[in-house]
Amino acid sequence: AKIFKLSVLDLRIWVHLGCSDQEKFNPQLVSFNIDLNFQAPPVGVINDNLEDTVCYSRLVKNIKNFCRDKKFNLVEHLTAEIYKVVNESLQQNRSLVTSINVTTHKISPPVPDIHGGVTFTYCAAPFKKE
């Protein structure tokens, strides 16, 4: 079987994230992994044109802009919101993408004895904006 996947790995952003006001006061470093799975190779594979694939630079900029000045209680909610940002960033390439996979890694949660952080993954097919 052939696999066509674009991955953005370890996108690190400081985010106000936590259940208590004290935890949200200082931003925490989170890392995002984003996979876009394609049903067929994007045309950019053949013609080498940026317009014919997903621009991951624009995707990253949209995620950073979304996270700026927002506060989140839960890593689950943050992940679902980033999924929506990714979906909206696909624009004309949405029909090629069979699934979007977003994993958020809260690198240093303030919980004793957790040494590898906490992750939450949201994976779904892209949705059409109504």
Side-chain angles (χ1 to χ4, degrees):
K2 295 181 179 179
I3 296 173
F4 311 103
K5 178 170 73 170
L6 177 68
S7 298
V8 175
L9 303 174
D10 200 15
L11 168 60
R12 293 186 180 199
I13 301 176
W14 291 91
V15 178
H16 292 276
L17 174 64
C19 287
S20 69
D21 288 340
Q22 181 182 0
E23 190 181 358
K24 271 192 291 252
F25 182 75
N26 293 311
Q28 294 188 47
L29 189 60
V30 296
S31 169
F32 297 103
N33 285 339
I34 298 153
D35 294 320
L36 303 177
N37 296 294
F38 296 86
Q39 61 189 1
V43 178
V45 167
I46 298 164
N47 67 14
D48 206 22
N49 288 333
L50 179 60
E51 302 80 41
D52 291 319
T53 192
V54 174
C55 177
Y56 55 84
S57 177
R58 182 175 60 230
L59 181 67
V60 167
K61 188 176 88 176
N62 291 348
I63 292 169
K64 285 178 160 181
N65 287 341
F66 176 79
C67 290
R68 188 174 294 123
D69 302 325
K70 285 193 176 62
K71 288 185 163 74
F72 302 92
N73 292 327
L74 302 175
V75 68
E76 294 89 341
H77 180 71
L78 171 60
T79 307
E81 291 298 300
I82 296 302
Y83 166 86
K84 291 177 189 173
V85 172
V86 171
N87 184 76
E88 289 166 12
S89 299
L90 294 179
Q91 295 173 344
Q92 75 271 16
N93 295 297
R94 187 173 290 123
S95 61
L96 285 178
V97 176
T98 56
S99 68
I100 300 167
N101 186 3
V102 177
T103 298
T104 303
H105 182 191
K106 192 172 180 180
I107 295 171
S108 298
V111 176
D113 302 321
I114 294 180
H115 298 283
V118 173
T119 65
F120 183 78
T121 299
Y122 189 110
C123 184
F127 58 85
K128 306 251 186 295
K129 197 159 182 185
E130 302 302 324

